[in-house]
């Protein structure tokens, strides 16, 4: 497929037919308008895996090795399909690059490693699944894994820094430009897993990222009902985009048509959901931090009864600490305030006083589902040891939804109170 055909079909590079630039919220609704082939306002669901060729013999052309010749026609859904094509157009617009969708976040990451084929990767702790992908490539290609903060001299041309920010499971942020400068000083590349900081909160390309990866299952999906992965490259890297597109067809990790349709439904409200979720999380973290550190309660409303000395004492009996990018006050005054100017993400972590308290906390909550994953409109809480064997067993990850934050606050306070009473009662 020609570069122009790829741009037209998937990259969202066509400008909207408006006289003025439009905001990301508007792009999420209209960036795929040029791909609508019917009068339906809501995108129809296309489930076919194969598509008819033209009935006119004079229009038929033998393949020259490219699976699709035209930006107008679909042939086979392992290559392109209507729902996924429209979703990719919107994601390209929102991510300010050229986006491709995959069957899951890890399949997208695997595709990135296959294409870039680095000899060395510098990677931090973060999501354990990413280390599983690295392990596959260690077995297949001899990829060498280095610490995230290894000396720049350990990296060479074509190597990779794999940066996750904000981090899973803590929600803490790392300085993208610092790692971009480090990579580029050695001819290496920076891939940013920005799952916890979706569009509207951060744009890694502004700070030097060479590729962005998302588990679209989370915030792009937003309703806990679809698996999806996304890779995006800068518009200037047309050869990367074309290479990833071609290899995806052979890897077979294409997003399903049903998931593409669900993604279209979901991405329309991305900004509304993520802003609300991030604001909710920041308020909850601020409240939890004030409970743990009464001297900081001046930063909360003085009339907030939930910050009484009694509540603070109960919380401190069971709760040890909290982590989130919004607590990185020195960084916010510098690079973080520029990197995430509109919010610090909807996920944070808390450490309980003991493993047993961490295990019991989810069962005391009414408004948080005890489940893995994140990004849905509903709030989730997870005793992280259930899915990550390497984490601190006192750690509980919180993914905040779109509920009223004070309801979530009160639910947490009720749970802390119940746990603190049980901890003091020798009969329990």
């Amino acid at each position: 497929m020609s570069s122009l055909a790829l741009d037209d079909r998937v990259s969202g590079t066509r400008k909207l037919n408006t006289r003025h630039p439009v905001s990301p919220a508007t792009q999420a609704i209209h960036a795929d308008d040029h791909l609508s082939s019917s009068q339906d306002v809501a995108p129809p669901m296309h489930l076919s895996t194969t598509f008819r060729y033209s009935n006119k013999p004079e229009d038929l052309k033998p393949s020259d090795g490219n699976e699709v010749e035209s930006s107008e026609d679909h042939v086979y859904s392992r290559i392109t399909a209507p729902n996924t094509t429209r979703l990719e157009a919107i994601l390209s617009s929102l991510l300010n690059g050229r986006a491709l969708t995959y069957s899951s976040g890890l399949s997208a990451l695997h595709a990135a490693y296959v294409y870039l084929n680095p000899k060395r990767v510098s990677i931090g702790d973060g999501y354990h699944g990413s280390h599983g992908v690295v392990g596959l490539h260690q077995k297949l290609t001899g990829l060498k894994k280095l610490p995230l903060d290894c000396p720049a001299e350990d990296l060479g041309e074509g190597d990779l820094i794999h940066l996750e920010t904000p981090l899973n499971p803590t929600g803490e942020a790392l300085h993208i430009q610092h790692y971009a400068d480090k990579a580029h000083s050695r001819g290496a590349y920076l891939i940013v897993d920005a799952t916890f900081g979706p569009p509207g909160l951060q744009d890694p390309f502004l700070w030097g990222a060479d590729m962005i990866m998302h588990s679209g299952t989370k915030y792009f999906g937003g309703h806990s009902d679809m698996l999806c992965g996304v890779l995006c490259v800068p518009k200037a890297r047309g050869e990367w985009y074309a290479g990833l597109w071609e290899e995806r067809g052979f890897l077979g990790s294409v997003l399903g048509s049903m998931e593409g349709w669900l993604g279209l439904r979901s991405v329309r409200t991305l900004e509304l959901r993520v802003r609300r979720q991030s604001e909710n999380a920041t308020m909850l973290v601020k409240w939890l931090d004030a409970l743990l550190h009464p001297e900081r309660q001046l930063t909360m409303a003085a009339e907030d009864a939930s910050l009484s000395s009694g509540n603070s004492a109960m919380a401190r009996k069971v709760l040890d600490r909290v982590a989130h990018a919004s607590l990185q006050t020195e960084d916010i005054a510098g690079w973080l305030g520029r990197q995430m100017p509109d919010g610090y993400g909807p996920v944070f972590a808390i450490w309980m006083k003991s493993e047993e308290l961490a295990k019991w906390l989810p069962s005391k909550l009414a408004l948080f589902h005890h489940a893995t994953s994140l990004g849905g409109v509903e709030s989730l809480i997870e005793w992280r040891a259930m899915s990550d064997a390497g984490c601190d067993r006192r750690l509980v990850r919180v993914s905040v939804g779109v509920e009223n934050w004070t309801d979530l606050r009160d639910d947490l306070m009720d749970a802390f109170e119940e746990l603190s009473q049980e901890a003091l009662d020798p009969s329990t």
Side-chain angles (χ1 to χ4, degrees):
M1 180 183 284
S2 69
S3 178
L4 177 61
L6 284 170
D7 281 350
D8 256 5
R9 179 190 285 282
V10 191
S11 291
T13 56
R14 288 190 180 180
K15 295 187 181 299
L16 293 174
N17 188 25
T18 60
R19 296 176 61 186
H20 307 284
V22 299
S23 69
T26 302
Q27 293 171 28
I29 306 297
H30 293 288
D32 62 327
D33 282 355
H34 67 283
L35 294 170
S36 177
S37 59
S38 70
Q39 292 180 295
D40 300 50
V41 173
M45 187 188 302
H46 298 269
L47 296 178
S48 182
T49 59
T50 191
F51 303 87
R52 288 191 298 268
Y53 296 121
S54 171
N55 286 327
K56 299 178 180 179
E58 60 270 24
D59 292 339
L60 301 178
K61 299 177 182 178
S63 173
D64 64 357
N66 292 321
E67 298 216 33
V68 180
E69 293 295 330
S70 167
S71 64
E72 301 298 327
D73 298 330
H74 299 285
V75 172
Y76 188 53
S77 65
R78 180 168 49 80
I79 311 304
T80 65
N83 301 134
T84 52
T85 296
R86 292 184 68 168
L87 176 59
E88 288 170 347
I90 296 173
L91 293 175
S92 296
S93 182
L94 294 177
L95 291 165
N96 296 312
R98 303 176 176 203
L100 286 166
T101 55
Y102 294 83
S103 55
S104 69
L106 289 181
S107 68
L109 186 62
H110 174 59
Y113 276 72
V114 167
Y115 180 75
L116 295 172
N117 193 24
K119 292 183 175 65
R120 289 166 287 270
V121 59
S122 170
I123 184 172
D125 293 334
Y127 178 44
H128 63 280
S130 297
H131 287 269
V133 171
V134 171
L136 291 176
H137 286 264
Q138 288 179 297
K139 181 175 73 171
L140 294 171
T141 70
L143 175 67
K144 183 179 180 181
K145 183 162 70 169
L146 304 172
L148 181 62
D149 290 318
C150 69
E153 291 72 24
D154 289 354
L155 297 168
E157 187 171 353
D159 287 340
L160 191 63
I161 294 181
H162 178 138
L163 183 70
E164 185 178 305
T165 186
L167 281 163
N168 185 5
T170 66
E172 295 167 302
L174 296 175
H175 190 184
I176 295 173
Q177 188 168 357
H178 166 76
Y179 290 97
D181 291 344
K182 177 181 175 180
H184 298 158
S185 74
R186 303 294 296 171
Y189 303 118
L190 174 67
I191 182 171
V192 175
D193 180 344
T195 298
F196 281 35
L201 297 183
Q202 69 178 8
D203 180 356
F205 287 145
L206 288 177
W207 311 107
D210 297 294
M211 186 181 292
I212 299 171
M213 173 260 172
H214 280 270
S215 173
T217 305
K218 312 309 193 285
Y219 294 101
F220 294 150
H223 294 77
S224 303
D225 58 6
M226 61 172 280
L227 289 175
C228 172
V230 177
L231 291 179
C232 190
V233 300
K235 294 175 183 177
R237 290 195 179 275
E239 74 284 1
W240 281 24
Y241 177 71
L244 288 164
W245 185 89
E246 182 178 12
E247 289 184 0
R248 182 183 63 175
F250 298 122
L251 289 170
S253 51
V254 65
L255 186 69
S257 291
M258 178 69 172
E259 287 76 16
W261 181 83
L262 288 170
L264 270 178
R265 169 217 60 184
S266 300
V267 78
R268 308 294 195 194
T269 60
L270 177 67
E271 182 179 271
L272 293 172
R273 291 183 283 104
V274 169
R275 290 285 181 91
R276 174 64 176 260
Q277 289 168 291
S278 182
E279 290 168 2
N280 280 350
T282 299
M283 292 301 294
L284 285 171
V285 166
K286 191 176 181 181
W287 170 75
L288 289 166
D289 189 56
L291 282 177
L292 288 172
H293 304 281
E295 70 277 9
R296 300 177 188 171
Q297 289 188 12
L298 292 176
T299 63
M300 300 291 286
E303 66 276 9
D304 189 346
S306 70
L307 290 174
S308 67
S309 58
N311 281 353
S312 180
M314 281 188 290
R316 282 182 283 129
K317 287 174 183 173
V318 298
L319 182 63
D320 185 50
R321 62 189 175 99
V322 58
H324 186 239
S326 66
L327 296 178
Q328 298 173 228
T329 52
E330 291 186 9
D331 296 330
I332 289 171
W335 62 266
L336 182 52
R338 298 187 296 273
Q339 184 173 300
M340 300 187 76
D342 296 314
Y344 303 105
V347 174
F348 63 89
I350 57 178
W351 284 258
M352 304 299 286
K353 291 285 190 180
S354 69
E355 175 183 336
E356 197 69 13
L357 287 168
K359 183 178 181 180
W360 278 84
L361 174 62
S363 68
K364 305 298 183 183
L365 294 164
L367 301 180
F368 294 80
H369 297 293
H370 189 198
T372 196
S373 197
L374 55 113
V377 292
E378 62 287 313
S379 291
L380 302 179
I381 194 164
E382 182 186 24
W383 179 38
R384 191 61 180 159
M386 292 291 293
S387 60
D388 184 352
C391 77
D392 186 330
R393 292 197 175 186
R394 298 176 302 130
L395 189 148
V396 177
R397 189 180 70 183
V398 184
S399 168
V400 182
V402 300
E403 303 95 338
N404 185 293
W405 87 269
T406 60
D407 294 330
L408 300 175
R409 175 201 66 191
D410 294 343
D411 195 30
L412 284 167
M413 192 65 246
D414 289 344
F416 294 155
E417 180 178 2
E418 189 171 350
L419 286 173
S420 68
Q421 290 173 348
E422 291 177 358
L424 293 174
D425 184 353
S427 66
T428 60

